Amino acid sequence: METVEKIYKATKELGYLPDISARRMRINNSSKMPLILALLTSYEAPLNLTNNFLQALREAVKNNEALNSRFEFSISIEMFPSGKLSEMKNIISGNCFNAAIITNTSSADDLFLKENILPFPAVLVDRKIDGYSSVVSTDALGREAAKMLKQKSRKLPAILCGTPLTQSTQMRIDSFKKEYGGKVQRISA
């Protein structure tokens, strides 16, 4: 028992973390490779958006024969306080998952990503940062809202938004202001 205790103590002191894929392969008798996809999102993200995203992802994976025949697929949801993505354990080492989808980041998180290319494939949702793949929505929401208010001859439009702003929220605000023209009040919550 003494040897086991020494090994545990040494691994703790060295910060050793076992490779999760290797561990799952050893335990699992399946011929499929384990594939762990992380959804990294801030705590401040609306839960219904995160839930909708996960449901769509699950359906896409379920319906992909090529993926299902080669991999045992699982999703890990990793949450962080807005602006604190850099403080997530193992974000730079890449020991916990094979790939990540990163969403709902603040400008501080975006700066961290810009300065640090992650050691695993990552797709950013609603932000563009050099060195990363991105899926970006259009500015149509801001334009459409402005068109509706203009059609109703509203004279004093206001934009209510949270802080900190994400790239996608800023894009919608800018497109609203551009489409509406004139003065638009912004109210930060």
Side-chain angles (χ1 to χ4, degrees):
M1 199 61 152
E2 213 173 285
T3 305
V4 171
E5 289 174 11
K6 286 180 181 179
I7 291 171
Y8 280 133
K9 182 180 178 190
T11 58
K12 188 175 183 178
E13 288 173 1
L14 295 171
Y16 169 77
L17 293 172
D19 183 293
I20 194 165
S21 294
R23 178 178 276 183
R24 289 181 78 188
M25 281 174 52
R26 187 183 75 219
I27 294 169
N28 189 355
N29 293 331
S30 172
S31 61
K32 296 179 182 180
M33 280 289 291
L35 177 65
I36 302 168
L37 174 67
L39 173 63
L40 306 180
T41 186
S42 68
Y43 288 113
E44 292 79 8
L47 289 180
N48 63 330
L49 291 178
T50 302
N51 184 43
N52 292 343
F53 189 82
L54 284 172
Q55 286 178 355
L57 181 60
R58 187 182 70 213
E59 284 301 310
V61 169
K62 187 171 99 177
N63 296 326
N64 187 319
E65 285 289 324
L67 187 65
N68 286 315
S69 66
R70 295 179 52 215
F71 298 101
E72 181 183 317
F73 187 79
S74 61
I75 299 173
S76 172
I77 302 168
E78 304 286 334
M79 300 183 87
F80 57 92
S82 182
K84 305 290 185 183
L85 177 63
S86 62
E87 296 176 13
M88 282 188 73
K89 291 181 180 178
N90 299 318
I91 188 85
I92 295 297
S93 70
N95 288 337
C96 294
F97 36 80
N98 304 97
I101 296 171
I102 304 173
T103 186
N104 300 307
T105 57
S106 68
S107 56
D109 299 322
D110 294 343
L111 180 61
F112 167 75
L113 290 169
K114 184 178 180 180
E115 293 174 349
N116 298 277
I117 299 299
L118 301 177
F120 47 81
V123 176
L124 309 181
V125 177
D126 279 336
R127 60 227 352 94
K128 289 183 180 179
I129 298 173
D130 289 340
Y132 292 95
S133 298
S134 299
V135 176
V136 181
S137 59
T138 68
D139 61 357
L141 290 174
R143 282 195 323 266
E144 292 303 314
K147 285 179 186 176
M148 290 186 332
L149 289 174
K150 282 171 58 174
Q151 286 175 344
K152 296 196 179 275
S153 301
R154 301 295 187 226
K155 303 291 183 214
L156 300 171
I159 298 170
L160 176 63
C161 58
T163 55
L165 287 178
T166 63
Q167 285 184 17
S168 58
T169 304
Q170 186 63 58
M171 177 181 63
R172 289 190 288 270
I173 289 171
D174 293 344
S175 67
F176 180 94
K177 288 179 174 180
K178 184 177 179 182
E179 178 67 34
Y180 195 85
K183 188 174 180 181
V184 177
Q185 181 183 5
R186 180 174 148 194
I187 303 167
S188 296

